[in-house]
Amino acid sequence: MNILVLNCGSSSVKFQLIETDLPIIEKNADKCLASGNIERVIGQALITLQSEGQPKIRKAEPIKEHINAIDYILRWLISPESKINNINSLADIHAVGHRVVHGGEKFTMSALITDEVIEQIEDSIELAPLHNPANLKGIMAARELLGPGVPQVAVFDTSFHSTMPETSYLYAIPYQLYRRHRIRRYGFHGTSHRYLAYRYRQLMGLKREQVNIVTLHLGNGCSACAVKKGESLDTSMGFTPLEGLVMGTRGGDMDPSIIEFIRNKEGMSVREIDTMFNKQSGLLGISGLTNDMRELLAEEKEKDDRRAKLAIDIFCNRAKKYIGAYLAEMGGADTIVFSGGIGENSPLIRSRICKGLEWMGLSINKERNNSIQHGKEGEISTSDSKLKAFVIPTNEELLIARDTVRVVKNAPRRW
Ligand code: ADP
C-alpha cells in the first residue's frame, strides 16, 4: 500500500509517501517514496519536496490554507515532475495516516477515522488548543480531496503513554481536578518513544516484554521516557509538552509559584507568561542567543560565550537528572537510547549527559560515540559497560505508515 503520512502544524504541513504493507513490515523493507514540507501556510509559503533518488526542490508560492497545501502536495505526487514510479493518479494513494497530538484518555491505540473519532479528537481540543485543530484541518482536507473511499487513520502522540500507572500520571493536586477537568500527565512524543523501543528490540532480538530502556528524544522539543517491559512507565512531558527537560524554547520543570510572582513583578498576564515559558525560555531563554543547539555549541567553542555554555550545561544536567530518576523508578534498565536532532547528531552533548554516570555502570566508548551521527545507529558504550547507551534515529512517519496499514487491515498493532 502507498500511505500518505501527514503531520499538520498550525502553519505547516509535513508529509511522507511510504510504500508499506504487512509482509513488507515483516521484512522491514518499507520504502519512503517522497517527503517534504510546506511552511508558512498563511501567505507566501516555503515548499520543500523530494522524491526517492531525486534532488530537493525548493519553491515559494502563495498558499493560505491547509487544504491548499495538501492539494499542492497531492498534485505534485501524481505529476510527472515528482518522478515517482507507479504513482500516476490519486487512486495510487491507498490510505492516509495522520499524526494527531492529543488523544486524551480515550485513544490508547491508533484509530480508523470516522465521524465519531473526529468528534472525540474535537473533544480533546481544550487539552491541545494549538495542535489538535491543525491536525483536524489536515483530516478534513484529506477527506475532501481524496474522498470517503480512502481510509484515514489517526496516530496519537499520547497513546504510547496510556500504559502509565496512576503513580506516574497523577499530579499531587486535589484529586477532584483530575476527575472534573482531566488534569493529569499525558506525555507526548509517544510515536517517537514507541519507535525507539521497537527498533531497539529489533536490533537486540528481544521480545517486547524484555525491553527495559530510558529513551531520550532530544530535538527542538525534548522528552524522556521510562520504557519498562516494553511499555511507557513514565515520561517527562506532562499535561502539556512544557514539563520536563530543557528544550529549544521551553523551560521544562519549574516551580508554578513563579507565575504569580512574574505576574506581579512584570505586569504580564498569565497567557503572556505561558507563551514566554513555551516560546522564549529553554536554551533560547538562558543563552539569550538562540534555541538551536548547533549554534550554541559553536558560540561556546568559538567565542567561549558564558551563557551559551550555561544553557548547554543546564540542558545536560536536566537530562542526567531524568536518567537517574527513571532508573530508580524502573528498578534499573539495560540501555539509554539517544534520539532527535541533538541526540542523533551531537556526540559532545551525549558525552556531557553521560559524564559522571560511570558509578552506575555507564561507560561511553569515545570512538564509537564520535562515529555515530547523521542518521547512523548503534551502540556508543564500551563492550563491558553494565548500563549501555545507544543512538537510534527516530522515524515517527514510518510508525504512522505501519499503524495505518495495520488499522486498515485490522491486524494487531501495538508495535
Ligand atoms: P524537531 O524537534 O523540530 O523535529 P530536530 O529533531 O530536527 O527538531 O532537532 C533540532 C535540534 O537538533 C536543533 O537544536 C539543532 O541545532 C540540533 N542539531 C542538529 N544537528 C546537530 C549537531 N550536529 N550538533 C548539535 N545539535 C544539532
Side-chain angles (χ1 to χ4, degrees):
M1 291 178 83
N2 299 319
I3 311 292
L4 178 66
V5 175
L6 288 177
N7 178 356
C8 295
S10 56
S11 64
S12 69
V13 178
K14 285 192 200 154
F15 76 94
Q16 280 193 19
L17 183 65
I18 297 179
E19 188 189 321
T20 185
D21 214 327
L22 297 177
I24 296 178
I25 297 172
E26 216 38 57
K27 288 188 215 134
N28 205 27
D30 324 63
K31 220 167 155 190
C32 176
L33 304 176
S35 63
N37 60 67
I38 303 190
E39 287 169 66
R40 295 209 312 220
V41 182
I42 35 166
Q44 192 68 359
L46 301 174
I47 303 163
T48 311
L49 306 162
Q50 187 169 31
S51 47
E52 204 193 355
Q54 300 295 322
K56 247 185 202 157
I57 303 169
R58 288 208 167 86
K59 295 182 188 179
E61 293 209 15
I63 295 181
K64 286 213 170 70
E65 300 284 344
H66 286 74
I67 188 162
N68 307 120
I70 296 169
D71 186 38
Y72 189 98
I73 292 165
L74 289 170
R75 280 191 286 115
W76 177 75
L77 286 171
I78 62 174
S79 74
E81 191 196 345
S82 68
K83 298 196 176 80
I84 311 170
N85 283 340
N86 304 325
I87 305 285
N88 303 312
S89 76
L90 290 183
D92 296 321
I93 294 170
H94 304 124
V96 184
H98 293 267
R99 174 192 180 208
V100 178
V101 167
H102 218 306
E105 289 191 314
K106 172 80 197 164
F107 294 104
T108 59
M109 277 189 200
S110 304
L112 186 69
I113 296 174
T114 58
D115 289 342
E116 196 192 346
V117 166
I118 289 175
E119 268 171 37
Q120 285 159 344
I121 297 173
E122 282 169 348
D123 204 36
S124 292
I125 284 181
E126 64 169 359
L127 299 173
L130 296 179
H131 295 102
N132 273 22
N135 303 150
L136 280 165
K137 277 188 190 172
I139 292 170
M140 302 317 269
R143 241 191 190 189
E144 194 172 326
L145 295 165
L146 290 165
V150 176
Q152 300 199 54
V153 171
V155 179
F156 301 92
D157 260 21
T158 45
S159 45
F160 181 60
H161 302 301
S162 66
T163 49
M164 285 190 294
E166 281 174 312
T167 42
S168 300
Y169 75 68
L170 281 181
Y171 291 111
I173 56 177
Y175 188 76
Q176 60 269 31
L177 290 171
Y178 165 61
R179 283 255 181 82
R180 267 195 239 137
H181 307 297
R182 301 183 284 171
I183 298 173
R184 51 161 283 179
R185 175 183 313 287
Y186 289 96
F188 300 88
H189 284 156
T191 316
S192 178
H193 293 294
R194 183 176 144 215
Y195 176 80
L196 298 175
Y198 146 78
R199 184 69 190 145
Y200 174 77
R201 168 190 167 210
Q202 195 180 46
L203 288 172
M204 303 299 282
L206 301 171
K207 293 197 174 107
R208 187 199 305 159
E209 54 277 13
Q210 293 173 314
V211 174
N212 294 304
I213 58 178
V214 176
T215 48
L216 294 173
H217 177 108
L218 308 176
N220 261 318
C222 299
S223 66
C225 183
V227 182
K228 185 165 180 176
K229 296 188 178 166
E231 296 189 333
S232 175
L233 172 75
D234 205 348
T235 191
S236 59
M237 284 178 165
F239 179 64
T240 75
L242 181 58
E243 195 181 345
L245 301 180
V246 175
M247 318 183 201
T249 60
R250 296 189 194 114
D253 293 340
M254 72 186 90
D255 182 342
S257 303
I258 294 173
I259 296 169
E260 178 68 9
F261 197 78
I262 296 178
R263 203 170 69 94
N264 292 334
K265 291 284 179 190
E266 298 275 326
M268 293 167 78
S269 69
V270 171
R271 175 177 281 210
E272 285 168 334
I273 297 169
D274 188 69
T275 303
M276 181 177 76
F277 287 165
N278 274 291
K279 301 229 153 105
Q280 287 128 31
S281 302
L283 295 175
L284 172 66
I286 301 162
S287 70
L289 293 171
T290 173
N291 62 314
D292 191 293
M293 182 59 94
R294 217 173 346 186
E295 289 174 19
L296 281 179
L297 287 166
E299 287 289 327
E300 182 191 43
K301 189 170 171 206
E302 286 153 25
K303 301 195 190 132
D304 199 20
D305 187 277
R306 192 189 85 82
R307 276 174 47 194
K309 178 177 182 329
L310 189 60
I312 300 167
D313 284 344
I314 296 173
F315 178 94
C316 294
N317 188 54
R318 184 80 55 84
K320 193 195 299 272
K321 262 168 108 163
Y322 267 90
I323 292 173
Y326 286 168
L327 289 175
E329 192 177 1
M330 295 167 76
D334 300 322
T335 301
I336 313 292
V337 176
F338 288 92
S339 195
I342 301 171
E344 291 167 26
N345 296 308
S346 180
L348 186 58
I349 296 294
R350 295 192 299 247
S351 69
R352 274 160 85 161
I353 291 173
C354 295
K355 193 164 169 235
L357 297 183
E358 294 79 10
W359 65 272
M360 52 166 73
L362 177 63
S363 140
I364 297 294
N365 179 309
K366 209 169 160 189
E367 288 72 42
R368 279 186 194 166
N369 186 29
N370 288 339
S371 71
I372 295 192
Q373 40 187 319
H374 309 308
K376 285 198 202 152
E377 67 182 358
E379 185 178 348
I380 56 168
S381 44
T382 58
S383 308
D384 61 351
S385 186
K386 234 176 78 198
L387 175 63
K388 300 209 166 294
F390 270 65
V391 174
I392 300 180
T394 194
N395 196 341
E396 292 158 273
E397 291 79 8
L398 179 64
L399 215 71
I400 293 173
R402 288 178 169 187
D403 263 19
T404 302
V405 168
R406 292 184 184 115
V407 169
V408 169
K409 300 209 162 173
N410 216 0
R413 53 180 188 275
R414 276 313 303 269
W415 287 73

